[in-house]
Amino acid sequence: MPKRLSRAFFKRSVHAVAPDLIGATLLVNGVGGRIVEVEAYHHTDPAAHSFRGATARNAVMFGPPGFAYVYRSYGIHWCLNFVCEPKGSASAVLIRAIEPTAGLALMRRRRGVSDVRLLCSGPGRVCEALGVTGAHNGLALDAAPFQIFAHAEPVDIVAGPRIGITKAADKPWRYGLKRSRFVSKPFRLSPVTPT
DNA sequence: TGCCCGATTAACT
DNA sequence: GTTAATCGGGCAA
């Protein structure tokens, strides 16, 4: 049985936690799969919700690490984040894509699509498939309904610019599982030198 | 108070 | 390729 991630796992720099989450398994009420894409947001980052200080929406980001920050995106979708670093640093990892492994039938029903590659390939899709809503905002990640397990095997990680932002768009703070077919958009891999 | 924009997605042309 | 859906935050007036 894989090791369940402790709350201490999140009490580190968001730039250390984010790549470490690639390959981990995220379940919500037993439904979910392998995390294949995340993005890091730090409070000194102009693209982060916490950059301009605490509001009612982002209050959880300013609390202790190891909790879920769920916000509404474009007034329509939900997006799931894991709060990182010591309390008050207001940093979080956005869960952008999952390779579905558990609860496929329920995810298909919630999403209204059958293609497994369309179930969790995007932050809004992840929340819809796993049933994450604003009701999960502020819940601890080491307790029900969440289960997060470390990956057993080593994984190859790639990084690149984050998606859908205009501020600090050059920062390579999007992390993914190399060659995964379940990411929301392909990562640009390093060019192979012709032989 | 009013207006613009956004860590998105699906359905268009 | 473009656009609508829909709402909280930020900022100008």
Side-chain angles (χ1 to χ4, degrees):
Chain A
M1 196 64 179
K3 192 172 91 179
R4 193 166 178 173
L5 294 185
S6 68
R7 199 172 293 190
F9 174 89
F10 299 97
K11 200 170 181 175
R12 297 178 292 145
S13 162
V14 72
H15 296 302
V17 173
D20 278 359
L21 282 171
I22 299 300
T25 295
L26 166 65
L27 303 179
V28 179
N29 287 315
V31 175
R34 187 189 197 191
I35 297 172
V36 296
E37 180 185 347
V38 302
E39 284 177 359
Y41 287 89
H42 191 263
H43 70 291
T44 58
D45 168 11
H49 288 168
S50 54
F51 182 68
R52 291 171 201 288
T55 66
R57 176 177 68 155
N58 66 19
V60 174
M61 283 187 79
F62 289 82
F67 286 78
Y69 165 48
V70 183
Y71 72 93
R72 218 199 253 287
S73 175
Y74 287 84
I76 305 168
H77 310 288
W78 296 106
C79 289
L80 171 64
N81 295 254
F82 296 165
V83 176
C84 296
E85 296 195 336
K87 173 181 163 77
S89 70
S91 301
V93 178
L94 170 68
I95 308 303
R96 286 196 55 91
I98 285 174
E99 175 182 339
T101 62
L104 276 287
L106 185 50
M107 285 195 269
R108 285 192 168 100
R109 195 164 80 215
R110 286 168 171 164
R111 290 275 299 115
V113 298
S114 57
D115 186 344
V116 68
R117 289 179 62 176
L118 295 179
L119 291 180
C120 300
S121 56
R125 291 166 171 174
V126 167
C127 286
E128 188 172 38
L130 273 58
V132 173
T133 70
H136 296 82
N137 189 41
L139 295 186
L141 296 171
D142 59 353
F146 293 104
Q147 289 174 281
I148 308 173
F149 299 102
H151 54 85
E153 306 295 323
V155 292
D156 286 333
I157 297 169
V158 290
R162 293 173 294 180
I163 292 176
I165 60 170
T166 55
K167 300 161 192 157
D170 57 314
K171 298 293 194 298
W173 292 339
R174 175 182 179 234
Y175 301 94
L177 179 64
K178 193 175 184 180
R179 288 185 293 273
S180 172
R181 293 153 43 245
F182 297 91
V183 297
S184 63
K185 291 176 82 167
F187 282 79
R188 180 175 186 137
L189 300 177
S190 302
V192 175
T193 306
T195 53

